Amino acid sequence: DTGNATATEAPAPAAPPASESAPRLSEPSAESSEVESTDSAGSAGAQAASGDAEQRISVGERRVALQLIGFYSLEELKAFADKAELPSPVYFREETFRGRPWFVLIHSLHDSAEEAAAARAALPPGLAGLDTWIRTLDQGSDLSVLAPAPR
């Protein structure tokens, strides 16, 4: 076990943020999943981009994640999170998608896919239109806690 995310379905592409800077990505084929997890959500690249130490958690028994969106840069993810109606805490992790760093925003962790689906159904309108993904993470996978922007 390498701590990589386990896909239960093909990964959902990121919905573009309000700006046009993030391209809409087509869904990878089921035969060749292009999303890979890194061993640590807070890699050196993520730490350097954030400029400050990040709080990390290790995924325990609540392994089913409701993933909202992904971006090719941590700055874009944080800009999206600053504008979105998100619970506290939310999490992110760095993965690799199409050979590039890929930062995914995780809304919440759940005990089951049914609980995650209920959370997805209760998303506010601004988030409900995203191509969310319910996925299972390996126990022990690292997630970084996304601190809310000062208001």
Side-chain angles (χ1 to χ4, degrees):
D1 186 14
T2 62
N4 291 340
T6 303
T8 56
E9 59 185 72
S19 73
E20 304 237 341
S21 61
R24 176 107 179 139
L25 300 175
S26 61
E27 194 167 316
S29 69
E31 300 87 45
S32 62
S33 175
E34 294 184 60
V35 174
E36 299 174 16
S37 298
T38 59
D39 287 337
S40 170
S43 72
Q47 288 176 353
S50 70
D52 54 355
E54 294 161 348
Q55 180 183 356
R56 294 189 199 147
I57 67 162
S58 182
V59 174
E61 295 299 315
R62 299 178 65 135
R63 298 177 38 219
V64 181
L66 173 54
Q67 180 177 311
L68 294 178
I69 195 167
F71 296 93
Y72 283 121
S73 81
L74 184 57
E75 293 80 17
E76 286 179 289
L77 181 141
K78 288 182 175 183
F80 173 85
D82 288 347
K83 297 176 192 170
E85 186 179 336
L86 297 173
S88 183
V90 293
Y91 314 95
F92 72 92
R93 64 185 275 128
E94 182 178 356
E95 300 177 350
T96 301
F97 182 67
R98 295 188 177 172
R100 295 173 57 190
W102 184 246
F103 298 90
V104 297
L105 181 61
I106 296 176
H107 176 274
S108 49
L109 298 172
H110 303 275
D111 291 322
S112 68
E114 292 78 17
E115 284 182 17
R120 178 170 45 192
L123 288 173
L127 300 176
L130 299 175
D131 290 330
T132 59
W133 181 25
I134 295 173
R135 63 187 288 194
T136 301
L137 301 173
D138 286 340
Q139 191 166 1
S141 297
D142 288 334
L143 299 177
S144 293
V145 177
L146 185 61
R151 303 252 178 220

